[in-house]
Structure formats: structure tokens, C-alpha cells
Amino acid sequence: MRSKPTKAAAAAINAKDHGRHIFIYNNLLTNQVIYSLTQSMQQSMLTSKCQNNHALKQLAYFGKKSVPAKLRKDVWAPLITVTFPYNNQGLDAFHKLREYRRIRDVTWYMDVEGVPQEKKRRKRALMNQKAASIADLAAILHKQENFGRETAAEAEKVKEEQQAKIAEEQRQVESELKEFAERARSGEPAELETKIEDLTAHMLGQKFPNQPPPGERRKENMAKQILRLRQLKNSLKRAEEAVQDGSVSEVAKNRVERRRISRALSGQAPKQILHEQDVIKGSWPPPRFGRRRILSLPKSVNYFTSEGVKVAWSNFMDAEFAESWPEAVQHTHMGITRHTAADPDLPPEMEPRVRRHSPMHEAEVERVKEEIEQRKREAAEEREKKTNAAKNNGSGWNLVRRLRARLSP
């Protein structure tokens, strides 16, 4: 038996496209507007349960009958479907659309001429949200385009500064590598190996057998010192090999190597270089778990742009409610829909779709046709039988007709 997906599984499936599409629905009677992140505004992100209150909470109360009791399929129809290239851009637009409408909902007390509006007239005006919502969408797309252009320019400037800093750091590391190579040629690794052996023997109590072995605290400090000496020795050997192979610049580009050399130069213990600011971002392979993995993975930054933004309309004439649109925005037709918006990832359907379980289904039509043909054949056979019977009894039938003609008045 197939089990139902859990809430976490459903959320994981929907998280991929969450925020990439905004579905705008319009009330055909009052022109009220509801924004939805799901294809059906009655569907929750986690379950398919009807969520009337979740959508109706967007509508402000302006008076009696200003907020419907429930969502009716014959009253609400798709107005616009907006598709964004990135999820964060769609979520930002959705947030701003809700904010702009909220601002209009609470600034109703004055008319255009500065005179307070009559209550019913004010209610009808505030419930007519179709034109204002389309204008808000165009303004938000313009703002996102400008913000994305400014952010990209600022990021490019920061990137150039970081590249200059990395180049300077690379030159410093190259000089440090050459210095380490000179120290390795002078025989320092052998001296470090001798120190490591002496410290190891002292820690194990083999260097001075007549004296008591060192305590636990002393052993811990000696182990740290041995670890630092081994790290320095390995760094010297790697620097010598890099100079001999001519790969100094390649080693300098490796951030992990640069951090290892800096720790060896400063004499810091490895466990002290475990803070968030010391984690090497972009190192590969990253740790398998924990916050260090998140910080080590490369970050992909998505800048707001109007390239790839697609607006699907149920009626192209509604686009005239906005003063202007960004040039890169694509305007398409939503296709033939009923009470639910069409799937934005599929091409629009410009012909009416046959319902799956209706009598117009292809298999059902074939079955009905066969039944009709069978009935026609049976009727033809019945008529042929009656005709043959009349021919066989022709004289008797003629006598009956003559008697009926005589008796008739």
C-alpha cells in the first residue's frame, strides 16, 4: 500500500520552486485581488487541505460584505501569473505586493479633493484593487531591476578589492615559501626531528629513567609542542619541494596551504584555529558535517534582474493599467483556464481541454459509438423481419385492410 507523503517531504518537494511563481487571482464581482505562492489559492504548501482563511486574511475589512465568507470557484479567476528567475526575487516581490496593498488599505480617509468619502462609496473604491495591483507589480519590477543593477556594480567593486587583497597575500605567501625553503636547505628539519624525538622520549619517561615521569598537565603541553614542531617540519619540507618543482605560485593560490603556513609561523595550536572567522571558505573537499561545511561551500549570489521575468496574462488589455514595464520582461498569454491558474512551466493551452472523466473522453466516445451502431443494426434486423413476414402473409393483410375500410364511417 502506498503511504502518503509526510509534511516534511511535501515541504521539501515544494521548496525548490517556492517563491519562483506568484499567482494573482481576481474577484469578478468586486475586483478584489489575492496573491498566492501556490497554483491554487485554496491549497496549502504542506497539504492539499482547503485553506480559505489563509487566503482571505489578505483582504481588509471595509464594511459589511467586504470580505467573502469563503472562496468560490465561480467568482475568483486567475488574473496574472508571474515567473521569476530566482526564488528570493519572487519572495521579495510577493512581500512588497502585500505591503503596498496594506498601505492603501489604511490610507482611505480622504477623497481626491480632500473631502472624506461616503462609506459605501469608499468601500467600493477600496475593494477595486485590480488596477492598483497591476501598477504595483510594474513598479516593483522596476525597483528590482534598479536594485539589482546597483548591487551587481557594488559586488563587482568588492570583488576587485578582494582580488587585489588575494594577490597581495599570494605575494607574501610566495616570499614565506622561499624563506621556508632556505630554512629547509640549512638543515632545520633534521633539528626539528631531533627535538621531536627528545620531547617524545621525555613525555614517555624514557629520557630520564631515574626521575619520575611528567604529570598529565606537563604531558599535554609537551604533546601540543610536538604537534607544532611536526607541523613546522612538514611545512618546511613542502616549501622545499614546491621551490624545487617550480610550483610556488600554485601552492600560494591554495588557501588551505596559506593557512597552514601562517599557523606554523605564528606557533598557534591547531585547536585554536577553529573559530568561524578562521575557517577557510572555498576549501575542497569541505568537512562532511557542521557549520564549517556550510562556510566552506562556495556561495552563489543571485542579483535581482528583469531578465527571465515572465508575466502571463488572462487578458492582455489589463497590462495598460501600469504606466510602463521593464523592457526585458516577457509578456505572454496564460491560455484558457477556469478557476485555477495554468501551470507556468508548461506551454499555454489555447484550446478547451476535455475533462478526463467526462462523456467526451476518447474511450467513452468510442464506446458510445459502438453502442449506437449496435442499436442501428438491431433495428435494421427487426425491420427486415417485419417486412419478410408481411410479404409471406400478403393476402391476409389485404383482406383485413378492405374490411377496415368498409367498417370505417
Side-chain angles (χ1 to χ4, degrees):
M1 183 176 178
R2 190 175 181 180
S3 59
K4 294 182 179 180
T6 60
K7 291 185 177 181
I13 293 172
N14 295 328
K16 181 180 178 181
D17 290 335
H18 179 65
R20 201 167 70 88
H21 306 291
I22 297 179
F23 303 92
I24 304 178
Y25 287 85
N26 177 40
N27 191 311
L28 301 177
L29 301 179
T30 62
N31 266 345
Q32 289 175 293
V33 170
I34 285 181
Y35 307 109
S36 176
L37 293 174
T38 57
Q39 191 173 355
S40 174
M41 59 181 173
Q42 289 185 334
Q43 183 179 355
S44 172
M45 289 298 297
L46 301 179
T47 63
S48 59
K49 185 179 179 182
C50 183
Q51 301 286 333
N52 282 324
N53 293 335
H54 183 73
L56 293 175
K57 282 182 179 179
Q58 299 184 21
L59 303 178
Y61 179 78
F62 302 121
K64 188 176 180 181
K65 302 295 183 180
S66 62
V67 179
K70 61 180 181 179
L71 299 174
R72 290 174 49 183
K73 294 181 179 179
D74 59 336
V75 174
W76 292 91
L79 178 65
I80 307 172
T81 300
V82 191
T83 303
F84 294 89
Y86 308 112
N87 299 34
N88 57 342
Q89 185 176 354
L91 292 174
D92 178 77
F94 181 80
H95 183 68
K96 284 185 170 59
L97 284 170
R98 297 281 301 271
E99 284 186 342
Y100 288 179
R101 180 171 59 182
R102 185 60 179 171
I103 291 174
R104 286 195 305 273
D105 291 344
V106 298
T107 55
W108 48 262
Y109 51 89
M110 288 295 177
D111 199 349
V112 179
E113 301 176 356
V115 181
Q117 295 182 349
E118 189 267 334
K119 186 175 181 180
K120 291 185 178 181
R121 179 186 171 191
R122 181 178 66 231
K123 183 181 74 172
R124 287 194 300 269
L126 292 174
M127 291 173 67
N128 188 5
Q129 302 169 349
K130 179 179 176 179
S133 299
I134 295 173
D136 289 346
L137 178 62
I140 290 170
L141 293 178
H142 277 296
K143 287 187 176 182
Q144 286 186 344
E145 185 181 28
N146 297 333
F147 178 75
R149 193 182 298 112
E150 295 173 359
T151 307
E154 185 178 355
E156 189 66 25
K157 182 179 178 181
V158 173
K159 184 178 179 180
E160 292 177 357
E161 294 177 356
Q162 291 179 352
Q163 289 178 352
K165 186 183 295 185
I166 290 174
E168 179 65 25
E169 187 178 358
Q170 182 177 344
R171 287 192 292 269
Q172 294 178 2
V173 171
E174 289 179 1
S175 63
E176 291 171 359
L177 283 172
K178 293 177 182 179
E179 180 184 353
F180 271 43
E182 292 293 334
R183 293 169 61 180
R185 293 193 195 98
S186 63
E188 187 172 347
E191 298 176 1
L192 293 175
E193 185 65 28
T194 304
K195 291 181 180 180
I196 291 171
E197 293 177 356
D198 293 343
L199 286 172
T200 304
H202 190 192
M203 185 177 62
L204 298 176
Q206 299 174 359
K207 186 175 182 180
F208 304 104
N210 299 329
Q211 297 180 3
E216 295 296 329
R217 191 179 185 86
R218 177 63 176 167
K219 285 183 179 181
E220 184 179 355
N221 294 332
M222 293 172 71
K224 292 179 181 179
Q225 189 176 1
I226 291 171
L227 186 61
R228 286 194 294 270
L229 292 175
R230 285 178 179 173
Q231 188 178 14
L232 179 59
K233 185 189 73 171
N234 295 334
S235 299
L236 293 174
K237 289 183 177 180
R238 282 192 294 270
E240 186 180 9
E241 293 175 358
V243 172
Q244 292 176 357
D245 299 340
S247 59
V248 177
S249 59
E250 296 179 1
V251 175
K253 290 180 181 179
N254 191 339
R255 296 187 178 186
V256 178
E257 193 69 17
R258 292 202 302 270
R259 286 291 181 179
R260 189 179 292 114
I261 293 172
S262 63
R263 281 181 290 183
L265 286 173
S266 60
Q268 297 177 355
K271 77 172 188 177
Q272 295 178 356
I273 312 295
L274 293 178
H275 302 292
E276 184 175 320
Q277 63 270 17
D278 295 324
V279 175
I280 306 156
K281 297 183 180 180
S283 61
W284 198 263
R288 294 182 61 187
F289 306 102
R291 184 163 180 80
R292 293 189 64 176
R293 175 179 176 82
I294 300 175
L295 294 172
S296 299
L297 291 175
K299 305 297 186 299
S300 59
V301 181
N302 300 326
Y303 302 112
F304 292 170
T305 176
S306 57
E307 297 286 344
V309 178
K310 186 185 299 183
V311 181
W313 298 89
S314 60
N315 184 6
F316 268 116
M317 300 302 295
D318 293 337
E320 299 296 330
F321 286 117
E323 183 178 358
S324 63
W325 294 88
E327 296 181 358
V329 174
Q330 302 177 10
H331 297 272
T332 60
H333 198 278
M334 189 185 301
I336 297 177
T337 59
R338 296 182 67 201
H339 49 77
T340 302
D343 191 346
D345 294 328
L346 298 178
E349 297 184 2
M350 306 308 294
E351 296 181 359
R353 183 173 52 182
V354 179
R355 289 183 295 175
R356 183 174 300 175
H357 302 292
S358 68
M360 297 299 293
H361 193 265
E362 184 177 358
E364 187 71 15
V365 169
E366 294 295 333
R367 186 182 65 81
V368 172
K369 285 182 179 180
E370 292 179 1
E371 291 182 358
I372 293 173
E373 293 295 333
Q374 183 67 21
R375 291 174 186 174
K376 287 182 179 180
R377 287 193 295 267
E378 292 177 357
E381 292 175 358
E382 188 68 26
R383 286 195 302 270
E384 187 176 358
K385 288 180 181 180
K386 289 182 179 181
T387 303
N388 294 335
K391 288 181 180 180
N392 295 333
N393 301 323
S395 59
W397 283 103
N398 292 333
L399 179 61
V400 172
R401 289 192 189 98
R402 286 196 298 271
L403 289 174
R404 284 181 178 176
R406 288 180 181 181
L407 294 174
S408 60

